[in-house]
Amino acid sequence: MTTTSHSVRQGLAAGITMLAVIMLLVAGTLSILRGIAGVTKDEIFLIPSEYSYQLDVTGWGWIHLAIGVLLVAVAIGMMLTATWARIFACCLAAVSIVANFASLPYYPWWSVIIIAIDLMVIWAVSTWNPDRI
């Protein structure tokens, strides 16, 4: 019964990991677009007058652009089941959580959505063991 339980859990984690790969691609692509909008000083961002993390929208744009490019690269590596990609996926998702938390006042709803996606990616990638399926 323990083997069946682990098989089911690994199967679920594998399925969610493949979903995480797709979500990494989507989050990375949208982060790239968000970064481009910030760099070009698009008018979609709310700019608060008083906030602890004072960084202009262009600065946030470059941060999100870099994170987005790295997320897409890691997602492609995860499609190839590279071990380095699993490690970097967890690290980049954690960095993305911090970056999106710090940019909450600039684009609140999107930041919360990306934080939730990143949390699910971390769980799926850290739970899945491709050798056990």
Side-chain angles (χ1 to χ4, degrees):
M1 186 159 186
T2 306
T3 306
T4 305
S5 174
H6 289 299
S7 282
V8 170
R9 190 175 357 168
Q10 286 300 307
L12 179 65
I16 292 177
T17 299
M18 291 306 122
L19 178 64
V21 168
I22 293 167
M23 290 177 5
L24 275 173
L25 279 172
V26 170
T29 303
L30 291 174
S31 188
I32 289 169
L33 294 175
R34 181 179 179 182
I36 291 170
V39 169
T40 60
K41 298 184 183 193
D42 200 351
E43 299 296 322
I44 65 169
F45 294 101
L46 169 71
I47 301 174
S49 59
E50 293 182 26
Y51 185 57
S52 298
Y53 308 111
Q54 290 296 327
L55 189 64
D56 64 356
V57 175
T58 304
W60 284 117
W62 284 112
I63 290 169
H64 286 287
L65 186 63
I67 290 172
V69 168
L70 291 173
L71 286 173
V72 168
V74 167
I76 292 169
M78 283 186 62
M79 282 185 210
L80 303 172
T81 64
T83 304
W84 65 266
R86 292 180 61 216
I87 295 167
F88 281 113
C90 288
C91 295
L92 282 176
V95 168
S96 179
I97 288 171
V98 172
N100 280 290
F101 176 76
S103 67
L104 267 170
Y106 298 101
Y107 211 56
W109 286 105
W110 184 248
S111 294
V112 170
I113 290 169
I114 295 299
I115 288 170
I117 290 172
D118 288 335
L119 287 171
M120 193 157 72
V121 165
I122 290 172
W123 176 83
V125 171
S126 62
T127 302
W128 181 47
N129 184 357
D131 299 329
R132 294 182 75 186
I133 291 189

